[in-house]
Amino acid sequence: MEYKALLKAMFDAAIAAAQPELCVPPHLPAAPRGRLVVIGAGKASAAMARAVERAWPGPLEGLVVTRYGYAAACERIEIVEAAHPVPDAAGERAARRMLDLVGGLTPDDTVLCLISGGGSALLPLPLPGITLEDKQAVNRALLASGASIGEMNCVRRHLSAIKGGRLAAACHPAHVLTLLISDVPGDEPCDIASGPTVADPSTCADALEIVRRYRIALPGKVREVLESGAGESVKPGDPRLAGHELRFVATPQMALEAAARVAREAGVAVHILGDSLEGEAREVGKVMAGMALQVARRGQPFAAPCVLLSGGETTVTVRGDGRGGRNVEFLLAAAIALRGEAGVYGLAGDTDGVDGQEEIAGAYFSPTTLARAFGKEIRPMQSLDRNDGHGFFQALGDAIVTGPTLTNVNDFRAILVAAPER
């Protein structure tokens, strides 16, 4: 059996399961008496908009914003591209125009909001007194801090004029249906794109506690907004959000189950360990390596051949001069812990095709990875200490490049333990 090909086929199946062309049309609303206005943000939002256009027989209009390179051809819905993960002026302009578009709607109108991962950076509309440069600085600090996605988005919600339910409030009194492609652990709606159409139970005090915990330096105006309470978001029970609907059209669990089917069809057992694993990527890598060793050497808790499969979003606290990337950091730490163990292979990647800030989805390792690295005079522990997983796997030719996938259901991690040789 060609293990790399099997792992790659599983990764491809996970991505395919979350393609908007398949998962969006079954969830479209009934035709409204008034207008259908389509808005959205995220790495999958343009592909979601295209799926809506192809399936919707009546008139519609709208605006969605996606990452540079992730546009999809639409005729009636305008597609705007902006920067991710650090926001830019194009995203700010798009967010302002989106609020203008939904102003003045009536109870006969329906707003269809298409939300996917990446929307936090793609809708960077600062609260009064805060500049885009302030938000960029905070975003960079959060990305390098080791904070979880939920913690990062809590801070973002309290600095935004559009997130934390504010976009939904601006649509009032129209009916709002939000279709979600989840990229966050636990599928928490207020954390997907920082919840622009979802009530937010967290507070400015919560955001300040996160800032303190990770020792993040804030621009003066940003701290003032949080300390004064001026950044409070729309809370549960707000009448402007009454009757709004949320529907998940794709989630990490759905993607993992699609990948599992591929392995089982190849005669390999699959054990899904969780769709929302978090923590430092290198620590998760060590733990997964330990589990794989127990399977390989003891047949516990599972018999080989099998695949240990997981999803979620780990974090990387960048301390070195490398390029980060949580999936390659996970893999490098796992490979080091495995020490070339025979019969153990792994692949990890981000289903949006971008691991960290690189146009690389992830990478692959095998029992020969460390030996090949030493043969090229690459020291694996030095690469890990530098947070340079991308450089490590690229030098070995083991990077996984998909290009823009036009969807995003978070990370895919698979460690395959082959049957013992007899």
Coordinates of all heavy atoms in Angstrom, one line a residue, residues 154-155 158 203-216 218 222-229:
C154 N -12.5 36.8 20.7 CA -13.1 37.6 21.7 C -12.5 39.0 21.7 O -13.3 40.0 21.8 CB -12.8 36.9 23.1 SG -13.4 37.9 24.5
V155 N -11.2 39.1 21.6 CA -10.6 40.5 21.5 C -11.1 41.2 20.2 O -11.5 42.4 20.3 CB -9.1 40.4 21.5 CG1 -8.5 41.8 21.3 CG2 -8.6 39.8 22.8
H158 N -14.6 42.9 20.2 CA -14.8 44.1 21.1 C -14.0 45.3 20.5 O -14.0 46.4 21.2 CB -14.4 43.8 22.5 CG -15.4 42.8 23.1 ND1 -15.1 41.5 23.1 CD2 -16.6 43.0 23.7 CE1 -16.2 40.8 23.7 NE2 -17.1 41.7 24.0
T203 N -17.5 39.8 27.1 CA -17.5 41.3 27.4 C -16.1 41.9 27.2 O -15.1 41.2 27.0 CB -17.8 41.5 28.9 OG1 -16.8 40.9 29.7 CG2 -19.2 40.8 29.3
C204 N -16.1 43.2 27.3 CA -14.8 43.9 27.2 C -13.9 43.5 28.3 O -12.6 43.4 28.1 CB -15.0 45.4 27.3 SG -15.8 46.2 25.8
A205 N -14.4 43.2 29.5 CA -13.6 42.7 30.6 C -12.9 41.4 30.2 O -11.7 41.1 30.5 CB -14.4 42.6 31.8
D206 N -13.6 40.5 29.5 CA -13.1 39.2 29.1 C -11.9 39.5 28.1 O -10.9 38.8 28.1 CB -14.1 38.4 28.4 CG -15.2 37.9 29.3 OD1 -14.9 37.7 30.5 OD2 -16.4 37.8 28.9
A207 N -12.1 40.4 27.2 CA -11.1 40.7 26.2 C -9.8 41.3 26.9 O -8.7 40.9 26.5 CB -11.6 41.7 25.2
L208 N -10.0 42.1 27.9 CA -8.9 42.7 28.6 C -8.1 41.6 29.4 O -6.9 41.6 29.5 CB -9.4 43.7 29.6 CG -9.6 45.1 29.0 CD1 -10.4 46.0 30.0 CD2 -8.3 45.8 28.5
E209 N -8.8 40.6 29.9 CA -8.2 39.5 30.6 C -7.3 38.7 29.6 O -6.2 38.3 30.0 CB -9.2 38.6 31.3 CG -8.7 37.3 31.8 CD -7.6 37.5 32.9 OE1 -7.5 38.6 33.5 OE2 -6.8 36.6 33.1
I210 N -7.8 38.5 28.4 CA -7.0 37.8 27.4 C -5.7 38.5 27.1 O -4.6 38.0 27.0 CB -7.9 37.5 26.2 CG1 -9.0 36.5 26.5 CG2 -7.0 37.0 25.0 CD1 -10.1 36.4 25.5
V211 N -5.9 39.8 26.9 CA -4.7 40.7 26.6 C -3.7 40.6 27.7 O -2.5 40.5 27.5 CB -5.2 42.2 26.4 CG1 -4.0 43.1 26.4 CG2 -6.0 42.3 25.1
R212 N -4.2 40.6 29.0 CA -3.3 40.5 30.1 C -2.6 39.2 30.2 O -1.4 39.1 30.4 CB -4.1 40.8 31.4 CG -3.2 40.8 32.7 CD -4.0 40.5 33.9 NE -4.6 39.2 33.9 CZ -3.9 38.0 34.1 NH1 -2.6 38.1 34.4 NH2 -4.5 36.9 34.1
R213 N -3.4 38.1 29.9 CA -2.8 36.8 30.0 C -1.7 36.5 29.1 O -0.7 35.9 29.4 CB -4.0 35.8 29.7 CG -3.6 34.3 30.0 CD -4.8 33.4 29.6 NE -6.0 33.9 30.3 CZ -7.2 33.8 29.8 NH1 -7.4 33.3 28.6 NH2 -8.3 34.3 30.5
Y214 N -1.8 37.1 27.9 CA -0.8 36.9 26.8 C 0.2 38.1 26.7 O 1.0 38.1 25.8 CB -1.4 36.5 25.5 CG -2.1 35.2 25.5 CD1 -3.5 35.1 25.8 CD2 -1.4 34.0 25.4 CE1 -4.1 33.9 25.8 CE2 -2.0 32.8 25.5 CZ -3.4 32.7 25.7 OH -4.0 31.5 25.7
R215 N 0.1 39.0 27.6 CA 1.0 40.2 27.7 C 1.1 40.9 26.3 O 2.2 41.1 25.8 CB 2.4 39.7 28.1 CG 2.3 39.1 29.5 CD 3.7 38.6 30.0 NE 3.6 38.0 31.3 CZ 4.7 37.4 31.9 NH1 5.9 37.5 31.3 NH2 4.6 36.9 33.1
I216 N -0.1 41.2 25.8 CA -0.2 41.8 24.5 C -0.2 43.4 24.7 O -1.0 43.9 25.4 CB -1.4 41.4 23.7 CG1 -1.3 39.9 23.4 CG2 -1.6 42.2 22.5 CD1 -2.6 39.3 22.9
L218 N -1.1 47.0 23.8 CA -2.2 47.5 23.1 C -1.9 49.0 22.8 O -1.4 49.7 23.6 CB -3.5 47.5 23.8 CG -4.1 46.1 24.1 CD1 -5.4 46.2 24.9 CD2 -4.4 45.3 22.8
V222 N -7.0 51.7 21.7 CA -7.6 50.3 21.8 C -7.9 50.0 23.3 O -8.9 49.5 23.7 CB -6.7 49.3 21.2 CG1 -7.2 47.9 21.5 CG2 -6.6 49.5 19.7
R223 N -6.9 50.2 24.1 CA -7.1 50.0 25.5 C -8.2 50.8 26.1 O -9.0 50.4 26.9 CB -5.7 50.2 26.3 CG -5.9 49.9 27.8 CD -4.5 50.0 28.5 NE -3.7 48.8 28.1 CZ -3.8 47.6 28.6 NH1 -4.7 47.4 29.5 NH2 -3.0 46.6 28.2
E224 N -8.3 52.1 25.7 CA -9.3 53.0 26.1 C -10.7 52.4 25.8 O -11.6 52.5 26.6 CB -9.1 54.4 25.5 CG -10.1 55.4 26.0 CD -9.8 56.8 25.4 OE1 -8.6 57.1 25.2 OE2 -10.8 57.4 25.0
V225 N -10.9 51.9 24.6 CA -12.1 51.4 24.1 C -12.5 50.2 25.0 O -13.7 50.0 25.4 CB -12.1 51.0 22.6 CG1 -13.2 50.0 22.3 CG2 -12.1 52.2 21.7
L226 N -11.6 49.3 25.3 CA -11.9 48.1 26.1 C -12.2 48.5 27.6 O -13.1 48.0 28.2 CB -10.8 47.1 26.0 CG -10.5 46.5 24.6 CD1 -9.3 45.5 24.7 CD2 -11.8 45.7 24.2
E227 N -11.4 49.4 28.1 CA -11.5 49.7 29.5 C -12.8 50.6 29.8 O -13.4 50.5 30.9 CB -10.3 50.5 30.0 CG -9.1 49.6 30.1 CD -7.8 50.4 30.6 OE1 -7.8 51.6 30.5 OE2 -6.8 49.7 31.0
S228 N -13.2 51.3 28.8 CA -14.4 52.2 29.0 C -15.7 51.4 28.7 O -16.8 51.9 29.1 CB -14.4 53.4 28.0 OG -14.5 52.9 26.7
G229 N -15.6 50.2 28.1 CA -16.8 49.5 27.7 C -17.4 49.9 26.4 O -18.5 49.4 26.0

